[in-house]
Amino acid sequence: MKRTGLIVLIVIVVLIFWGFQWGISTGNKMVAMDEGVSASWSQVENVYQRRSDLIPNLVNTVKGYADFEKSTLTAVIEARAKATQVTVDPSKLTSASMQQFQQAQGGLSSALGRLMVVAEKYPDLKANEQFLNLQAQLEGTENRITVERQKFNEVARTYNTYIRQFPNSMIASMRNFEKKAYFEAEKGAEKAPKVQF
């Protein structure tokens, strides 16, 4: 009887030790994944900052054309100011904060789009080497933004899946790991734009 009790005690101690080790390992993996989401978010902010940094040069280049629509330039400057005011803490990537960030950045994208459309009316501006260079840099930056947003969504999905799976969800709730929000398509993006000639 004593030997059976000792074996049961050893099994219980081993199970407790294994459970403790599993909990530590799972928690550490969640920390690493959470840091991965934060790093990915920082890269998203980095490419948005690159775009924001190009705008003053673009505006100054366009200002050189006296008859250029001032309201368009003002809209770009104001949209840039709004976009740079909205910041999101990577530890609190909620749907509401992501939506606010996306709206601000979307406003800037829209203002830049209008600027490019208006620029089409000015052949001298379209031929300006500095303008063409800035336009190419903006296009490249928009592509980088798309790539980084996609990478962020992938990292966030992996993290969200991991913390929501059982039994990982128990450790996640004990250590306050919360689901991260995703970048989503803008409302109306599912509809193709109407083109009329």
Side-chain angles (χ1 to χ4, degrees):
M1 189 77 166
K2 282 187 172 185
R3 188 167 192 204
T4 305
L6 183 61
I7 292 173
V8 168
L9 182 62
I10 290 173
V11 168
I12 290 172
V13 168
V14 167
L15 288 175
I16 290 172
F17 179 75
W18 177 82
F20 186 70
Q21 288 296 90
W22 170 82
I24 290 173
S25 174
T26 301
N28 287 343
K29 185 169 182 179
M30 287 177 191
V31 168
M33 293 175 88
D34 187 50
E35 288 298 317
V37 171
S38 294
S40 185
W41 177 253
S42 294
Q43 191 56 29
V44 167
E45 288 183 320
N46 181 36
V47 290
Y48 274 116
Q49 183 63 49
R50 174 181 162 76
R51 178 177 73 171
S52 184
D53 291 346
L54 289 172
I55 291 171
N57 292 333
L58 183 67
V59 168
N60 287 333
T61 301
V62 172
K63 271 185 186 175
Y65 293 83
D67 58 345
F68 198 86
E69 288 87 349
K70 289 185 180 185
S71 63
T72 304
L73 291 175
T74 303
V76 171
I77 293 166
E78 288 173 357
R80 179 184 182 263
K82 286 180 186 175
T84 56
Q85 288 174 353
V86 177
T87 58
V88 178
D89 180 357
S91 66
K92 296 176 178 75
L93 289 171
T94 63
S95 293
S97 63
M98 287 291 282
Q99 186 176 14
Q100 183 182 17
F101 181 82
Q102 281 185 259
Q103 283 177 340
Q105 294 299 332
L108 181 54
S109 294
S110 178
L112 281 172
R114 285 191 303 277
L115 176 69
M116 294 305 169
V117 167
V118 171
E120 291 292 318
K121 297 178 187 176
Y122 297 85
D124 291 344
L125 177 59
K126 287 180 10 184
N128 180 300
E129 187 176 326
Q130 186 177 2
F131 179 77
L132 292 173
N133 182 30
L134 289 167
Q135 188 176 22
Q137 286 186 46
L138 276 172
E139 289 171 2
T141 301
E142 292 297 332
N143 290 336
R144 290 178 185 178
I145 288 169
T146 301
V147 168
E148 294 304 329
R149 284 172 54 147
Q150 181 181 6
K151 285 180 184 176
F152 172 81
N153 278 350
E154 290 171 5
V155 171
R157 180 191 52 79
T158 301
Y159 166 82
N160 288 341
T161 301
Y162 189 77
I163 67 165
R164 293 179 66 212
Q165 291 174 331
F166 184 80
N168 299 349
S169 59
M170 294 185 309
I171 301 294
S173 68
M174 283 190 290
R175 299 214 26 213
N176 296 321
F177 285 101
E178 296 178 359
K179 184 178 174 187
K180 305 291 184 187
Y182 299 108
F183 276 102
E184 296 176 3
E186 292 180 30
K187 291 184 192 282
E190 70 280 357
K191 297 176 187 170
K194 292 182 182 179
V195 179
Q196 295 177 346
F197 295 100

